[in-house]
Amino acid sequence: MIGRLKGTLVHKQPPWLVVDVHGVGYELEAPMSTFYDLPAVGGEVSLFTHYAQKEDSVSLYGFLSEAERRLFRDVQRVSGIGAKIALAVLSGAGVEEFARLVQAGDVTALTRIPGIGKKTAERMVVELRERMADGYATGATAVAGKGAAVAADPLSEATVALQQLGYKPAEAQRMARQAFAEGDVAETIIRKALQSALR
């Protein structure tokens, strides 16, 4: 599995881009939210990736932030949605805007994204609302500069990590807050929260 690529951007033409990593050119498909912040051809780029294998094809998708990749993956968990619509979501709304639309239950606005009809938008609201809660887009990572991921704060980072381990957002937030002590780094908060959960 390829999780991240760092190299020279040698070609970009939406939705495709090619990154040269030590002489190997990786062709990736990326949403417009990533294209907007890419450097010029010849510049160095670091991308989070998602590898997808189907019966008849292998695809690699690239994202400037972990939040974009996470949304891409989460949207595809909704019945009837594949990579094409997930890319359209990121191209049409971006992470924070999409999270806001889902939390607000704004089906009308969601149907403005290409490929999403009323029934699909309603399913998205029902199936993703809980995932979007508790600072989905503003949790552990945020886009800064050329898409570098930076920690918002140790408590938020720990909360998101606990969610990725399978805890529901509200439970992860409660666990992290109870484990938090002033000066703790995210790893310490996570360790204490998990130890507490096992008691």
Side-chain angles (χ1 to χ4, degrees), residues 9-199:
L9 183 62
V10 294
H11 176 75
K12 63 177 182 177
Q13 183 174 354
W16 300 99
L17 57 100
V18 177
V19 177
D20 182 294
V21 180
H22 301 294
V24 178
Y26 291 88
E27 184 178 63
L28 302 102
E29 195 168 353
M32 290 310 298
S33 57
T34 289
F35 268 90
Y36 297 143
D37 293 323
L38 285 174
V41 170
E44 188 172 295
V45 66
S46 179
L47 297 169
F48 291 94
T49 61
H50 175 80
Y51 176 86
Q53 184 173 353
K54 297 178 188 170
E55 284 182 23
D56 59 347
S57 67
V58 173
S59 301
L60 193 59
Y61 300 92
F63 311 92
L64 280 174
S65 73
E66 173 61 29
E68 286 179 321
R69 178 173 69 177
R70 191 167 144 223
L71 178 61
F72 177 79
R73 289 173 172 172
D74 285 348
V75 166
Q76 290 185 75
R77 290 185 177 136
V78 175
S79 174
I81 295 183
K84 185 176 181 179
I85 292 177
L87 284 174
V89 165
L90 282 164
S91 295
V95 178
E96 291 181 13
E97 178 66 9
F98 181 76
R100 187 189 66 71
L101 293 173
V102 168
Q103 287 178 328
D106 194 342
V107 172
T108 303
L110 288 170
T111 59
R112 292 186 195 123
I113 297 171
I116 298 178
K118 184 177 180 188
K119 289 186 186 231
T120 302
E122 290 168 348
R123 271 197 318 271
M124 291 173 108
V125 168
V126 169
E127 295 181 33
L128 294 174
R129 183 175 268 156
E130 190 173 299
R131 285 186 175 276
M132 300 292 140
D134 296 325
Y136 176 88
T138 58
T141 59
V143 177
K146 290 289 180 204
V150 295
D153 64 84
L155 186 59
S156 294
E157 188 175 344
T159 301
V160 171
L162 289 167
Q163 289 175 24
Q164 291 174 345
L165 290 172
Y167 291 97
K168 293 190 184 277
E171 185 179 8
Q173 191 171 42
R174 179 191 54 78
M175 290 170 62
R177 283 188 179 150
Q178 288 176 349
F180 178 72
E182 193 63 41
D184 279 352
V185 295
E187 292 81 7
T188 304
I189 298 168
I190 296 164
R191 186 179 311 113
K192 290 189 322 189
L194 292 173
Q195 288 171 347
S196 177
L198 294 175
R199 291 185 191 147

